[in-house]
Amino acid sequence: MKKITYAKFPFLQGQILLAKTEKGLARINFGDKKYIEETEAKLKSTYHAEENPGKLEQEYIKIKQYWDNPAKTPDIQLDIEGTEFQKKVWHEISKIPAGKTATYTDIAKKIGNKRAIRAVANACAANKIPLIIPCHRVIRKDRTLGGYSGGLNIKEELLRKEKAI
């Protein structure tokens, strides 16, 4: 069983849960208390999980600074879990600069599979490290906002802060 350290901090109108392995940050979840408690329960059932806020305080500070000024993605060591396809999508999404957006179709074309639009959307939904892997910068072909793990209101606020919409 993989060891993971997690911590909950205040964030927006709710909480943020950060989880870290020996390799780096593995999860960022934010939302209301109930959602965070459900996420915490899943962590405890999947990993050897222990709460240690002090171990994640630096990551929390960097993420909070990023939220206040999202022009530059914070420099945080990551431990990304996903399929090879998901990692390919996330790598491409990570190239989208602050203040810009790309469509699911754009990402599908860039990874060499222009018909994989739905799979790209599913990879965005599976992103366990939102904000750092900026899936909020991926929008629909008609330029409207699609789903976001933190909620469309957070996606919209991030894009406004980045002056992308």
Side-chain angles (χ1 to χ4, degrees):
M1 189 175 263
K2 195 173 191 178
K3 182 180 176 189
I4 198 161
T5 304
Y6 72 93
K8 297 173 285 193
F9 300 95
F11 193 70
L12 307 174
Q13 282 82 34
Q15 294 181 319
I16 187 169
L17 182 140
L18 305 176
K20 181 178 183 177
T21 68
E22 298 82 26
K23 294 179 184 177
L25 192 65
R27 289 188 84 100
I28 298 174
N29 293 97
F30 39 90
D32 63 24
K33 185 177 178 181
K34 183 181 178 197
Y35 175 70
I36 295 299
E37 287 173 353
E38 289 169 358
T39 304
E40 183 179 8
K42 287 178 190 172
L43 280 178
K44 287 180 179 180
S45 68
T46 309
Y47 300 95
H48 170 70
E50 58 185 46
E51 188 169 13
N52 184 342
K55 195 168 183 181
L56 284 146
E57 193 169 345
Q58 288 302 311
E59 285 86 352
Y60 172 67
I61 290 168
K62 288 180 181 182
I63 289 167
K64 199 150 174 352
Q65 288 170 340
Y66 172 70
W67 177 260
D68 293 336
N69 182 14
K72 185 179 177 204
T73 304
D75 181 26
I76 297 175
Q77 184 67 35
L78 303 176
D79 183 6
I80 300 170
E81 287 185 1
T83 66
E84 288 308 310
F85 178 82
Q86 289 169 333
K87 288 178 183 180
K88 195 174 189 181
V89 169
W90 298 334
H91 177 75
E92 199 58 47
I93 288 169
S94 295
K95 294 178 185 178
I96 305 168
K100 303 288 182 189
T101 60
T103 67
Y104 297 101
T105 304
D106 295 335
I107 301 300
K109 287 177 183 174
K110 287 186 180 191
I111 63 168
N113 190 346
K114 65 182 179 181
R115 301 181 81 202
I117 299 162
R118 193 166 290 196
V120 167
N122 288 336
C124 285
N127 177 9
K128 292 179 181 70
I129 312 173
L131 300 176
I132 309 299
I133 299 173
C135 286
H136 63 276
R137 296 180 187 148
V138 184
I139 60 175
R140 293 181 179 140
K141 189 176 183 177
D142 66 2
R143 311 303 291 170
T144 60
L145 302 184
Y148 187 64
S149 63
L152 284 180
N153 59 328
I154 292 175
K155 183 173 188 166
E156 185 174 5
E157 188 170 343
L158 277 166
L159 293 173
R160 284 193 196 289
K161 283 180 177 225
E162 293 180 3
K163 297 179 178 34
I165 60 169

